[in-house]
Amino acid sequence: MSGVVALGYASSWGAALVRISPYTFSAIGIAISIGVSVLGAAWGIYITGSSLIGAAIEAPRITSKNLISVIFCEAVAIYGVIVAIILQTKLESVPSSKMYDAESLRAGYAIFASGIIVGFANLVCGLCVGIIGSSCALSDAQNSTLFVKILVIEIFGSALGLFGVIVGIIMSAQATWPTK
Amino acid sequence: MYGFEALTFNIHGGYLEAIVRGHRAGLLTTADYNNLCQCENLDDIKMHLSATKYGSYLQNEPSPLHTTTIVEKCTLKLVDDYKHMLCQATEPMSTFLEYIRYGHMIDNVVLIVTGTLHERDVQELLEKCHPLGMFDSIATLAVAQNMRELYRLVLVDTPLAPYFSECLTSEDLDDMNIEIMRNTLYKAYLEDFYKFCQKLGGATSEIMSDLLAFEADRRAVNITINSIGTELTREDRKKLYSNFGLLYPYGHEELAICEDIDQVRGVMEKYPPYQAIFSKMSYGESQMLDKAFYEEEVRRLCLAFEQQFHYAVFFAYMRLREQEIRNLMWISECVAQNQKSRIHDSVVYMF
């Protein structure tokens, strides 16, 4: 990247990018982590919920079992909250002379990346679990032996969010700001 | 976008789709039909039906039951389900559901006009109309003398108005013209419905295109067979075929010149899906054709439920219920007239 090498070349795009405060990136990362995760969870819950309610009219027995799908979607939002809390504890003040040091930038970018990883992994995980949960409710209403089999698929789907959280936490562990 | 409907379909359609799938679970199975076929009289049928979803509709009927009462009450259940879904639907699902009624409206219009021609009482005809196809001012149809009046007095305010442009003539209404009018209206309706489904896109358009194409082809074959030996000319016959479907356009050219059933069979056997239907019937046997078509239609309708997040399940459910009501009518008639050996001639099993 030309801007990173020639930091003194003040009018290139690369230079503009590295002059953005690392705190901006960190804050955006934390916001995305919680915001997009909750988006995924909500999306999944409404997809499952609408099918579940309609199907439960003709087959009331399915309601209690199929709340598991909603719980899996909700777990996705909880992952987002946990990671956001962890990320915000990584924020430290550095003196303004060191704010644009390479180490500061690295810490900022690490928190940003962690937030994006967790946010988008949880978004697609919530969607996946929601759509499967909807099909699960409809199939359970027709034939109750199918529930456990489809639940296995949902469990695999919800592991996707977990992958995101793991990688996000590993990334954020590298967020060490320069000491004073 | 095809493939991503799962993301947004449930906002407006999730609840109703789940409801319609619940209704589908209440359709009669082969085991139910076997029980019904063992019945000795109509009260037995009523008792067996009371264990199904029809129970609440039939339980208050007094004991000397008629087949028409059974059919009427079962149709009432279909209408209640439909109205419940229609009042909860938003655009574009509500337009889709409205389209399902237009076929019945056309049948009702033709029923009243034919009945008036044969000097029947309007009230009697109104009672025979299908409830899904009723609209205000339907009784005024009895007053019209020719097609232009029919359009100007009544139909211009109904959803059928745009379908009338091809059959506006000043000719008086007689049996032949009424049949031609029915088929022209139905052709315009099918084409309109087809275009609407294409506009919806996604899984709805794919599944509905298949179902409507089959409907169009089936009507083409029926028009051909029914007009063999009548005074309908080849050009007129060709004008009644819809402009979509597997048979369009080459099959239609060949069907227009057919003069007997074996020629029709020759044309249809060139198309693999229809060859399977026609091969089940031996030469010269055309009574089984209706049943073969119904069986094929039911098979395709059941397949529509295999996919989620589209509107074709509503269409499929309505059609399957109508087939079930036809089955019940046949079974009731056979039982009432003590002809139980013929029951299996015309019952189409679904599941």
Side-chain angles (χ1 to χ4, degrees):
Chain A
M1 292 281 287
S2 60
V4 174
V5 170
L7 265 179
Y9 203 55
S11 61
S12 70
W13 283 109
L17 209 56
V18 300
R19 296 302 286 183
I20 299 178
S21 161
Y23 292 117
T24 311
F25 279 110
S26 315
I28 293 178
I30 296 173
I32 289 180
S33 144
I34 176 71
V36 178
S37 302
V38 167
L39 173 65
W43 206 329
I45 290 180
Y46 92 64
I47 293 180
T48 299
S50 49
S51 293
L52 182 52
I53 290 176
I57 291 181
E58 295 282 338
R61 57 181 168 82
I62 67 169
T63 30
S64 7
K65 277 198 298 185
N66 279 280
L67 284 177
I68 286 187
S69 308
V70 178
I71 291 174
F72 276 136
C73 287
E74 176 71 21
V76 153
I78 293 178
Y79 297 157
V81 174
I82 291 175
V83 171
I85 291 178
I86 291 177
L87 289 181
Q88 64 87 27
T89 60
K90 301 279 182 195
L91 281 175
E92 294 167 10
S93 306
V94 293
S96 41
S97 56
K98 296 204 178 192
M99 194 150 78
Y100 295 102
D101 281 359
E103 227 182 288
S104 273
L105 293 177
R106 177 176 180 252
Y109 297 153
I111 298 181
F112 178 59
S114 176
I116 290 189
I117 291 168
V118 170
F120 286 97
N122 285 337
L123 171 64
V124 293
C125 173
L127 273 174
C128 170
V129 173
I131 295 175
I132 299 176
S134 156
S135 307
C136 185
L138 295 177
S139 314
D140 191 14
Q142 304 264 347
N143 177 358
S144 47
T145 58
L146 289 175
F147 175 71
V148 179
K149 301 179 176 136
I150 300 183
L151 198 62
V152 172
I153 305 178
E154 262 188 75
I155 292 173
F156 278 111
S158 76
L160 299 173
L162 219 44
F163 297 159
V165 170
I166 292 172
V167 175
I169 292 190
I170 292 175
M171 277 297 299
S172 72
Q174 301 179 12
T176 44
W177 300 85
T179 46
K180 294 192 179 38
Chain B
M1 204 177 7
Y2 194 0
F4 291 89
E5 295 130 343
L7 299 181
T8 49
F9 183 86
N10 274 12
I11 301 176
H12 294 298
Y15 174 69
L16 285 176
E17 181 181 4
I19 286 191
V20 89
R21 282 176 186 269
H23 289 319
R24 172 222 185 266
L27 288 170
L28 299 178
T29 60
T30 312
D32 291 319
Y33 284 127
N34 284 336
N35 281 342
L36 286 171
C37 292
Q38 314 280 11
C39 288
E40 293 296 331
N41 55 37
L42 292 178
D43 287 321
D44 274 348
I45 289 188
K46 175 178 159 186
M47 188 184 71
H48 277 116
L49 285 180
S50 64
T52 67
K53 299 286 181 192
Y54 291 119
S56 56
Y57 290 87
L58 283 176
Q59 69 189 19
N60 291 326
E61 290 305 306
S63 197
L65 215 52
H66 294 288
T67 54
T68 47
T69 321
I70 294 182
V71 172
E72 203 184 296
K73 294 300 168 193
C74 295
T75 313
L76 200 57
K77 173 173 169 41
L78 171 64
V79 173
D80 281 346
D81 287 345
Y82 175 81
K83 291 211 165 116
H84 175 80
M85 290 192 293
L86 183 63
C87 72
Q88 305 244 1
T90 60
E91 289 293 329
M93 196 195 297
S94 54
T95 314
F96 185 89
L97 288 175
E98 289 279 349
Y99 266 98
I100 299 178
R101 300 170 79 155
Y102 296 165
H104 292 293
M105 278 190 201
I106 294 175
D107 287 337
N108 283 354
V109 166
V110 170
L111 180 75
I112 291 190
V113 170
T114 318
T116 313
L117 193 66
H118 293 179
E119 314 209 346
R120 301 242 196 292
D121 180 37
V122 173
Q123 287 306 328
E124 196 186 308
L125 292 171
L126 282 177
E127 280 169 24
K128 286 201 195 157
C129 282
H130 197 286
L132 277 181
M134 297 299 274
F135 49 93
D136 305 331
S137 71
I138 192 171
T140 330
L141 284 170
V143 177
Q145 301 287 353
N146 61 32
M147 306 237 196
R148 220 173 266 282
E149 261 184 44
L150 202 62
Y151 177 71
R152 199 173 50 84
L153 286 178
V154 185
L155 293 169
V156 70
D157 290 324
T158 64
L160 298 179
Y163 304 149
F164 241 80
S165 56
E166 288 184 28
C167 43
L168 264 186
T169 60
S170 300
E171 289 175 18
D172 275 343
L173 298 165
D174 64 27
D175 277 319
M176 173 83 139
N177 285 345
I178 291 178
E179 277 308 304
I180 294 181
M181 175 179 84
R182 181 213 295 267
N183 285 313
T184 320
L185 281 177
Y186 212 89
K187 166 190 166 172
Y189 155 62
L190 276 182
E191 285 169 7
D192 194 23
F193 199 2
Y194 186 77
K195 267 202 282 283
F196 177 71
C197 292
Q198 299 282 73
K199 217 167 36 133
L200 287 176
T204 305
S205 93
E206 180 176 323
I207 299 176
M208 283 307 295
S209 299
D210 179 54
L211 293 174
L212 291 176
F214 180 75
E215 176 82 11
D217 292 338
R218 180 169 77 158
R219 287 192 80 85
V221 171
N222 282 338
I223 289 174
T224 312
I225 292 181
N226 291 339
S227 63
I228 290 175
T230 66
E231 27 185 72
L232 194 64
T233 63
R234 289 177 182 181
E235 284 70 33
D236 282 340
R237 196 197 279 181
K238 197 144 163 254
K239 270 196 289 189
L240 295 176
Y241 298 148
S242 304
N243 61 4
F244 64 96
L246 201 56
L247 293 177
Y248 170 80
Y250 307 113
H252 288 165
E253 309 255 335
E254 296 188 18
L255 275 180
I257 59 178
C258 282
E259 293 300 332
D260 68 51
I261 295 197
D262 289 325
Q263 285 182 0
V264 172
R265 174 195 292 271
V267 172
M268 299 304 282
E269 287 189 341
K270 293 186 195 154
Y271 296 88
Y274 304 127
Q275 184 200 22
I277 298 177
F278 276 79
S279 65
K280 284 192 216 157
M281 301 168 1
S282 50
Y283 273 96
E285 199 188 272
S286 68
Q287 303 94 312
M288 302 302 289
L289 185 61
D290 267 348
K291 184 174 182 199
F293 271 132
Y294 279 135
E295 281 176 352
E296 176 67 16
E297 182 188 15
V298 161
R299 190 185 69 83
R300 292 185 190 213
L301 291 171
C302 290
L303 285 178
F305 286 94
E306 300 292 312
Q307 205 168 340
Q308 215 181 325
F309 309 120
H310 60 88
Y311 296 143
V313 284
F314 298 97
F315 179 79
Y317 169 69
M318 301 291 289
R319 283 294 169 101
L320 284 173
R321 268 279 178 221
E322 286 166 22
Q323 178 61 44
E324 184 176 278
I325 293 175
R326 275 197 287 272
N327 285 346
L328 284 175
M329 182 171 76
W330 178 260
I331 292 176
S332 309
E333 288 287 348
C334 287
V335 162
Q337 296 174 15
N338 255 323
Q339 300 243 18
K340 289 175 45 176
S341 53
R342 296 191 58 199
I343 273 191
H344 297 285
D345 279 351
S346 195
V347 174
V348 178
Y349 298 104
M350 291 177 215
F351 308 113

